[in-house]
Amino acid sequence: MKITSLLTAFGLVSLIMQTPALGKTPAELNDLQIAHVAYVADNIDIKYAHLALALSDNQAIREFAQTMIRDHTAVNDQALALLKKLGAQPQDNLLSQTLQQNSVGLIDEMSKLRGAAFDKRYAENELAYHKAVNKLVEFSFIPNIENAEVKALFKAGLAIFQVHEGHANMMVKSLR
Amino acid sequence: MIDKVSTRDAKKNTAAMILAAGLGLALANAATAADVSAKTHIIEISKFKFTPNSLQVRPGDTIKWVNRDIVPHTATAKDKSWDSGTIVNGGSTRLAIKQDLRFSYYCRFHPKMLGQFEIVVQE
Ligand SMILES: [Cu+2]
């Protein structure tokens, strides 16, 4: 059980480790590429949440999933409003694409599960995913973002996702 | 505060909260003799905290929650006897204080967010 969440976390960590070989580390991304990664990461979590609402009957899981949709949508709306204000477009990049590809595999895997098995897997993935993304945001993105407003938004976003990480941790424990 | 003004405000607030929340909250009709000194207490929701986290209120007072966070929150009685409904970024909601109101509350969206108020009844 632990192994699956470790693997998920590792999957993300290893992709982050691999990217330098291809010429870009997360630290080398520009603000607009970072914004794109964050936008994709938000949308991936929203997709996981929709899967949970389609497959789970567990009230705590459903409420958590609804909070993920509500909060990640709110953050994305703020991000888009800020980019519009700055007259900028988020830039697609390799890290965004790799995140996206990873999520397809995970959705495929999770959509085959039902009942308690799904709930457990979803909760573990939410914990692992928020942990990995928070690490990326805190240590690779925030120190490297140049625009002050973008940086402030990422700091606010990180605080939100840390709350989600705590909430996911609580859920994982309660499902054990 | 003048008696009539605060009474009118309290009624307006009651209507506003029901509208905002879209829920039939058990709200006090705050027009009581205590209105002369009725107060509106503001609780800021920021960084996933209710501030002040704990406060003293009196029947006839109003609590106003203002959400400064990007994400929506709620103020919901622990026993669910009252519920603000969704309070979006920059939005606010009000609750008229009745003597027997349940005073421990949380955010339904983020259950680790807790707050409370103490209802002090005057002799
Ligand atoms: Cu909340």
Side-chain angles (χ1 to χ4, degrees), chain A residues 67 70-71 74-75 78 153 156 159-160 163 166-167 170, chain B residues 47-48 70-73 80 86 89 108-112:
Chain A
T67 290
R70 196 186 302 110
D71 288 2
V75 172
Q78 291 281 323
L153 182 56
I160 293 164
V163 170
H167 195 163
M170 199 167 78
Chain B
K47 302 196 161 88
F48 289 79
I70 293 170
V71 299
H73 295 293
K80 310 240 165 123
T86 302
N89 169 247
R108 260 191 298 122
F109 302 157
H110 311 104
K112 284 185 179 172

Side-chain angles (χ1 to χ4, degrees), chain B residues 42-105:
Chain B
I42 295 188
I43 299 179
E44 299 250 351
I45 312 176
S46 174
K47 302 196 161 88
F48 289 79
K49 286 193 175 69
F50 297 107
T51 311
N53 190 250
S54 178
L55 76 164
Q56 289 194 334
V57 298
R58 289 191 297 187
D61 285 359
T62 299
I63 295 181
K64 180 183 181 185
W65 284 270
V66 183
N67 183 10
R68 302 286 180 215
D69 276 340
I70 293 170
V71 299
H73 295 293
T74 76
T76 305
K78 271 198 176 163
D79 68 355
K80 310 240 165 123
S81 57
W82 50 270
D83 192 322
S84 67
T86 302
I87 315 168
V88 297
N89 169 247
S92 66
T93 189
R94 293 168 191 258
L95 177 68
I97 301 304
K98 239 172 56 167
Q99 200 171 317
D100 58 354
L101 213 57
R102 301 278 76 200
F103 44 79
S104 280
Y105 67 94

Side-chain angles (χ1 to χ4, degrees), chain A residues 7-67:
Chain A
L7 279 178
T8 313
F10 181 72
L12 193 53
V13 169
S14 68
L15 86 87
I16 293 161
M17 307 287 279
Q18 276 160 20
T19 35
L22 295 150
K24 283 268 182 197
T25 70
E28 283 171 29
L29 299 177
N30 68 39
D31 286 10
L32 297 176
Q33 289 169 324
I34 288 173
H36 193 276
V37 173
Y39 190 71
V40 167
D42 268 330
N43 280 325
I44 287 171
D45 203 50
I46 291 172
K47 269 197 277 172
Y48 292 153
H50 280 294
L51 186 66
L53 290 178
L55 294 181
S56 180
D57 292 324
N58 180 307
Q59 194 56 29
I61 293 277
R62 297 185 65 81
E63 280 173 14
F64 178 87
Q66 275 155 353
T67 290

Side-chain angles (χ1 to χ4, degrees), chain A:
Chain A
M1 306 316 143
K2 259 265 157 83
I3 292 167
T4 41
S5 52
L6 274 175
L7 279 178
T8 313
F10 181 72
L12 193 53
V13 169
S14 68
L15 86 87
I16 293 161
M17 307 287 279
Q18 276 160 20
T19 35
L22 295 150
K24 283 268 182 197
T25 70
E28 283 171 29
L29 299 177
N30 68 39
D31 286 10
L32 297 176
Q33 289 169 324
I34 288 173
H36 193 276
V37 173
Y39 190 71
V40 167
D42 268 330
N43 280 325
I44 287 171
D45 203 50
I46 291 172
K47 269 197 277 172
Y48 292 153
H50 280 294
L51 186 66
L53 290 178
L55 294 181
S56 180
D57 292 324
N58 180 307
Q59 194 56 29
I61 293 277
R62 297 185 65 81
E63 280 173 14
F64 178 87
Q66 275 155 353
T67 290
M68 292 309 104
I69 294 171
R70 196 186 302 110
D71 288 2
H72 287 281
T73 302
V75 172
N76 267 353
D77 288 349
Q78 291 281 323
L80 289 179
L82 177 55
L83 287 171
K84 197 177 169 193
K85 184 186 148 197
L86 298 172
Q89 287 284 332
Q91 285 169 10
D92 197 5
N93 59 83
L94 193 65
L95 185 52
S96 294
Q97 289 158 15
T98 315
L99 273 177
Q100 187 66 42
Q101 280 159 17
N102 271 23
S103 78
V104 173
L106 267 159
I107 285 177
D108 193 46
E109 182 205 325
M110 286 195 283
S111 61
K112 291 175 182 135
L113 302 171
R114 292 295 180 274
F118 173 85
D119 295 341
K120 205 165 177 300
R121 186 70 189 87
Y122 172 71
E124 283 171 358
N125 184 52
E126 282 303 293
L127 178 57
Y129 185 69
H130 279 91
K131 247 185 202 162
V133 171
N134 286 347
K135 225 179 212 170
L136 186 65
V137 169
E138 185 172 7
F139 301 110
S140 293
F141 288 173
I142 290 177
N144 292 295
I145 292 170
E146 283 165 17
N147 181 285
E149 282 178 286
V150 175
K151 198 187 272 264
L153 182 56
F154 268 79
K155 282 184 179 168
L158 177 63
I160 293 164
F161 308 144
Q162 283 168 341
V163 170
H164 293 172
E165 186 182 321
H167 195 163
N169 195 22
M170 199 167 78
M171 226 169 37
V172 167
K173 280 183 184 151
S174 75
L175 288 172
R176 245 171 223 158

